[in-house]
Amino acid sequence: MSPNTLIICPVFNEGHHLEGLVNEFKQATFKGELLFVNSGSEDNSSLIIKNSGFKYISLDKNLGVGNAIVQGIRFALDNNFEVVCVIAGNGKMRPKYIDKLTKPISEEGYDFVQGSRYLDSIQQTMPLFRKIMIPVVTRVFSSLFSYKFSDATCGFRAFHINLIKLCSFNIEAKWLRGYAFEPYFFSNVLLDKSVSKKEVSVTMDYPEKKI
């Protein structure tokens, strides 16, 4: 039997993107259960999520995307999910790639899978600032952690829940509630040579004239 998979989608004031993303989730084929984590949204995100038909939890206050992801991970731990995938609620990440991220874990035994916008020669639509900075940041990370990979900043990732169960830090620490959780967790994965990891090719969409 394949491991149980939870797809965590953190949301904060994404009403302008969310209906399209919900429809995309419904049209996509992927193995696993989707969980929206409504991080204290003040727009119509709550209503869209409630009417989506997917599972969700609602947080009273927005403490940051890191906190929203951690609460999703807590749900995974409490409900015995084995594989966790994180996908943004802003519509930039495509649900059709979920299985591409999770299958190496559930079927091949990998611990961590990172999405990459640079593995293939597919033309990526992204702002000029990102086109310049992502390769620079990636080279710095690769040098610091002595691990060669192509995309350090893509947040489209999947991992086995054991990485959380065995981690040496408190995932609910206050300083991780904002944007720190994802890069800190990623850094720990890179530092641990016993963690089996790989990249898979994904594409992401960006609104025009925005960084």
Side-chain angles (χ1 to χ4, degrees), residues 114-118 134 138 149-154 157 186 199:
Q114 168 83 4
S116 173
R117 293 157 285 189
Y118 293 92
I134 291 173
T138 297
F149 53 99
S150 63
D151 193 345
T153 66
C154 181
R157 298 168 175 146
F186 185 41
E199 287 184 297

Side-chain angles (χ1 to χ4, degrees), residues 16 24 37 42 46 56 62 64 74-75 82 84 94 96 111 118 134 137 164 166-167 192-193 196 208:
H16 49 303
E24 196 169 346
V37 181
E42 299 167 343
S46 298
Y56 68 91
N62 178 36
R74 179 58 57 193
F75 182 94
E82 297 177 56
V84 173
R94 306 271 64 88
K96 67 182 180 181
D111 300 311
Y118 293 92
I134 291 173
V137 172
I164 297 297
L166 300 174
C167 72
D192 191 340
K193 303 304 181 184
S196 56
E208 293 184 3

Side-chain angles (χ1 to χ4, degrees), residues 188-207:
N188 276 264
V189 167
L190 294 178
L191 285 170
D192 191 340
K193 303 304 181 184
S194 69
V195 174
S196 56
K197 40 195 172 278
K198 71 178 296 186
E199 287 184 297
V200 297
S201 177
V202 299
T203 59
M204 293 172 63
D205 295 332
Y206 298 87

